[in-house]
Amino acid sequence: MPFPCLRDPSNNTSSTAFFFECTGWAGSVCILTAYLHKWEESTDFALNLAGSCCLLAICLKKKVYQPAIINFIWSIGSIYKYIYLPPQFSNN
């Protein structure tokens, strides 16, 4: 920390905070990976659901409710898409 005076004093550096930050970044990677690559339906579902749940956790931890609602809807949407919509890719 070369500039401790510029650091936010409310910034929590505990291991729990580090865990939640890593969880948020992992969620971002999962969602972007699902978006940028053409996966099987089950893999796409797992990446979207895991990513949205990870981002939901960090948003709730930081009490940022607008993106938390979006990620909650994203997780419900991925479940709906996996269960109720027909598969987009067929082997025929």
Side-chain angles (χ1 to χ4, degrees), residues 33-62:
T33 303
Y35 179 75
L36 294 174
H37 195 277
K38 193 176 193 180
W39 297 101
E40 281 184 8
E41 183 182 3
S42 58
T43 305
D44 183 64
F45 165 70
L47 286 170
N48 274 305
L49 186 61
S52 62
C53 289
C54 288
L55 290 175
L56 178 63
I58 189 70
C59 289
L60 291 176
K61 169 87 168 130
K62 292 187 173 196

Side-chain angles (χ1 to χ4, degrees), residues 62-74:
K62 292 187 173 196
K63 298 180 181 176
V64 185
Y65 298 114
Q66 296 90 345
I69 290 170
I70 293 295
N71 284 296
F72 176 73
I73 293 169
W74 191 279

